[in-house]
Amino acid sequence: MKVALGQFAVSREWETNLATCLDLMDRALAGGADLLVLPEGILARDIADPDLVLKSAQPLDGPFVSTLCAASRGTQLTTMMSVHTPTGDGHAFNVLIAIRHGEIIARYRKLHLYDAFAVQESKNVTPGSEVPPLVDVAGMKVGLMTCYDVRFPELARRLALDGAQVLVLPAAWVKGPLKEMHWEVLVTARALENTCYMVAVGECGERNIGNSMVVDPLGVAIAHAAEAPALVFTELDAERVAHARRVLPVLENRCFAAPQLRER
């Protein structure tokens, strides 16, 4: 599977972000990608206006997602990203979607909300309550996670036990002391402890670190962006996953049962 990591700084205007996404989709296609991963919350962002997620939220059949779906028709590209959608009760869901052939083929409402480091995502966002689905892309099974989810190993393990060979993580990782280290350690740990690929794509810009990366099933970083906008390509190999699980059979050797996510 050829993967493209589309890292950019999200504008407060959804039309600007839509144009950026369409450009990244075109460039990913031109580069032969099977999968393009974009950051978290790409409808709109303004560090001076945390309530913008509510004011800018659109339903999944709104103009932002509908235009991206239309652009995916007639291509082999699967595109994954996170957007905010209205709940109908004054909040929003943070929804990771996968688009292919003009349709939304999978959706996942973020389970773990970022109520940490003086940020309160739950002020505006309602958490999901369901385990993310697996998506088939170019013959590999892909599990879905979003940003803060990476700090909770139970979710990644559940997806790996469900059959995921790849975990995708759109993110908007906020800058702060040692936050780049947190990002790299956690992304690497989730890959290594589950012997799967981690494809982690972060927003860059004034607020967030960027640093998108792909880590392979034995903990090797095989692709990395810096702090600026970038489109990075790399290859994922199902045999590399099989090899890692033969030589490091942690999924077979575990002593604890698969974690159960509680209903909210």
Side-chain angles (χ1 to χ4, degrees), residues 19 26 107 115 186 250:
D26 285 344
R107 64 193 73 191
D115 289 356
L186 290 163
V250 289

Short mmCIF file of all heavy atoms in Angstrom, two decimals, residues 19 26 107 115 186 250:
data_model
loop_
_atom_site.label_atom_id
_atom_site.label_comp_id
_atom_site.label_asym_id
_atom_site.label_seq_id
_atom_site.Cartn_x
_atom_site.Cartn_y
_atom_site.Cartn_z
N ALA A 19 -10.00 23.79 -0.49
CA ALA A 19 -9.07 23.92 -1.62
C ALA A 19 -7.76 23.21 -1.33
O ALA A 19 -7.19 22.54 -2.21
CB ALA A 19 -8.83 25.40 -1.93
N ASP A 26 -5.28 15.62 -5.30
CA ASP A 26 -4.72 15.58 -6.67
C ASP A 26 -3.27 15.14 -6.66
O ASP A 26 -2.84 14.30 -7.47
CB ASP A 26 -4.84 16.95 -7.33
CG ASP A 26 -6.26 17.28 -7.77
OD1 ASP A 26 -7.09 16.35 -7.84
OD2 ASP A 26 -6.53 18.47 -8.01
N ARG A 107 -16.95 5.73 9.19
CA ARG A 107 -16.95 6.91 10.05
C ARG A 107 -16.74 6.48 11.49
O ARG A 107 -17.14 5.38 11.89
CB ARG A 107 -18.26 7.70 9.89
CG ARG A 107 -19.51 6.96 10.31
CD ARG A 107 -20.77 7.66 9.84
NE ARG A 107 -20.95 7.50 8.40
CZ ARG A 107 -21.85 8.17 7.68
NH1 ARG A 107 -22.62 9.06 8.26
NH2 ARG A 107 -21.98 7.94 6.39
N ASP A 115 -9.29 16.52 27.19
CA ASP A 115 -9.47 17.34 28.39
C ASP A 115 -8.18 17.24 29.20
O ASP A 115 -8.11 16.53 30.22
CB ASP A 115 -10.67 16.86 29.20
CG ASP A 115 -12.00 17.17 28.52
OD1 ASP A 115 -11.99 17.83 27.46
OD2 ASP A 115 -13.04 16.75 29.05
N LEU A 186 4.59 7.89 21.87
CA LEU A 186 3.29 7.23 21.85
C LEU A 186 3.01 6.58 20.51
O LEU A 186 2.50 5.44 20.46
CB LEU A 186 2.20 8.23 22.20
CG LEU A 186 2.18 8.70 23.66
CD1 LEU A 186 1.35 9.97 23.80
CD2 LEU A 186 1.65 7.61 24.57
N VAL A 250 3.62 -10.68 20.27
CA VAL A 250 3.04 -10.12 21.49
C VAL A 250 1.52 -10.29 21.54
O VAL A 250 0.94 -10.43 22.63
CB VAL A 250 3.40 -8.62 21.64
CG1 VAL A 250 4.87 -8.46 21.98
CG2 VAL A 250 3.05 -7.84 20.38
#
